[in-house]
Amino acid sequence: MLSDGEWRKVFDAFQYDAWRFEAQPTYTMPRESENVARFLRGEDKPVDHNAKWHTRVREYCEAGKRIGRVRVVRRPLTEYQRYQFAWGIPGNIAAGEDIRILDVTHNEYDLPVTGQDWWMFDESTVVHLNFRPDGTQIGREMHEGGMEQFRTWKQKALAAAIPFAEYVKEHG
């Protein structure tokens, strides 16, 4: 298991590519709870929404690094996914993150869509993100073992996913 400090060191050590397989239907994160509530009440998005992450993404991109993810969804979208689509993802993309959507509503892909989130760094390090059923993160752990299965899953997920803007255009 990685402490918060160890996790940050692993994350910030990547040299050229950080990529996430994001599979939870809902994330329950204390630092987001007020913004999710604001979104659900129909309030305006705060001007500084997700500003720290956007700064980090811009810094990575300015250093020539890539950062991206494939976001797994099933329709209908959860309230949290609607929040992400409206308030989170567009700003992340504007900062430089490549975000694609993998819609598994009809489960037509040969992918391990089991609810396990993970980050892959430089095609050589994988960190599993572990969650409770309610979306609360309970830990991060380094994957011990081969990387080839994760490289293959990443390739398949990227091939099957579509860019966020295209997905929104098609599915509203």
Side-chain angles (χ1 to χ4, degrees):
M1 298 299 268
L2 298 172
S3 69
D4 288 345
E6 292 167 330
W7 164 240
R8 182 68 187 252
K9 285 179 186 175
V10 169
F11 199 107
D12 286 341
F14 81 92
Q15 298 296 305
Y16 62 90
D17 185 61
W19 186 82
R20 181 173 178 176
F21 187 77
E22 189 173 45
Q24 300 299 307
T26 298
Y27 294 93
T28 305
M29 301 188 309
R31 71 177 188 274
E32 280 189 333
S33 63
E34 181 56 33
N35 280 330
V36 172
R38 286 178 179 172
F39 169 76
L40 294 174
R41 289 190 303 261
E43 297 177 15
D44 291 336
K45 179 174 75 171
V47 175
D48 64 346
H49 182 265
N50 220 8
K52 288 181 183 179
W53 176 248
H54 296 160
T55 298
R56 285 180 69 192
V57 169
R58 279 191 291 279
E59 289 171 354
Y60 296 138
C61 293
E62 288 168 3
K65 300 176 181 184
R66 292 184 312 268
I67 187 161
R69 68 183 75 207
V70 165
R71 176 66 171 110
V72 175
V73 300
R74 285 182 180 82
R75 286 177 272 133
L77 298 179
T78 65
E79 289 180 338
Y80 184 85
Q81 289 167 336
R82 290 187 307 105
Y83 158 75
Q84 278 190 320
F85 275 43
W87 284 21
I89 293 173
N92 293 358
I93 291 171
E97 192 174 351
D98 177 26
I99 301 178
R100 298 166 186 264
I101 304 299
L102 179 62
D103 189 326
V104 297
T105 302
H106 303 294
N107 201 19
E108 50 201 43
Y109 307 103
D110 180 26
L111 289 166
V113 183
T114 61
Q116 176 69 60
D117 284 36
W118 45 276
W119 277 95
M120 177 184 277
F121 303 102
D122 300 327
E123 303 282 324
S124 62
T125 302
V126 169
V127 175
H128 291 281
L129 307 177
N130 301 315
F131 295 88
R132 291 187 183 108
D134 72 351
T136 302
Q137 189 175 82
I138 54 175
R140 302 171 204 95
E141 59 185 308
M142 296 289 289
H143 170 74
E144 302 293 332
M147 292 292 121
E148 193 56 39
Q149 67 183 351
F150 292 97
R151 291 184 197 113
T152 298
W153 291 339
K154 177 183 176 185
Q155 290 170 349
K156 287 182 176 185
L158 285 169
I162 63 174
F164 174 74
E166 186 179 326
Y167 183 84
V168 169
K169 186 177 178 180
E170 288 179 20
H171 299 285

